[in-house]
């Protein structure tokens, strides 16, 4: 079965608790869908993603819109 392609969609999850479960949820969500980007916002780098690319941001570069 081919994956659904969503190159203009970013899958985003933010968590500071049970990060490994959050990563697993992101991976599950990507099983049949190819997102343009997959982003995890967290206070720490999950150890189970040590081979992936990470960008560290500081509080001055974060903008929050509600």
């Amino acid at each position: 079965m081919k994956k659904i392609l969503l190159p203009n969609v970013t899958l985003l999850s933010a968590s500071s608790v049970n990060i490994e479960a959050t990563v697993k949820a992101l991976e599950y969500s990507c099983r049949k869908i190819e997102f343009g980007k997959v982003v995890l916002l967290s206070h720490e780098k999950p150890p189970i993603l040590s081979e992936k690319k990470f960008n560290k941001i500081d509080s001055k570069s974060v903008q929050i819109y509600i």
Side-chain angles (χ1 to χ4, degrees), residues 24-48:
K24 288 180 182 180
L26 288 170
E27 291 173 337
Y28 183 85
S29 298
C30 294
R31 287 182 317 127
K32 296 182 181 180
I33 302 172
E34 183 76 30
F35 293 97
K37 289 184 180 179
V38 179
V39 177
L40 170 63
L41 296 177
S42 180
H43 69 290
E44 65 184 20
K45 181 174 86 171
I48 62 174

Side-chain angles (χ1 to χ4, degrees), residues 1-50:
M1 177 189 245
K2 285 188 171 183
K3 283 188 169 188
I4 298 169
L5 301 178
L6 299 176
N8 296 323
V9 176
T10 298
L11 176 62
L12 170 73
S13 182
S15 181
S16 62
V17 295
N18 205 353
I19 297 170
E20 289 191 27
T22 304
V23 170
K24 288 180 182 180
L26 288 170
E27 291 173 337
Y28 183 85
S29 298
C30 294
R31 287 182 317 127
K32 296 182 181 180
I33 302 172
E34 183 76 30
F35 293 97
K37 289 184 180 179
V38 179
V39 177
L40 170 63
L41 296 177
S42 180
H43 69 290
E44 65 184 20
K45 181 174 86 171
I48 62 174
L49 291 180
S50 60

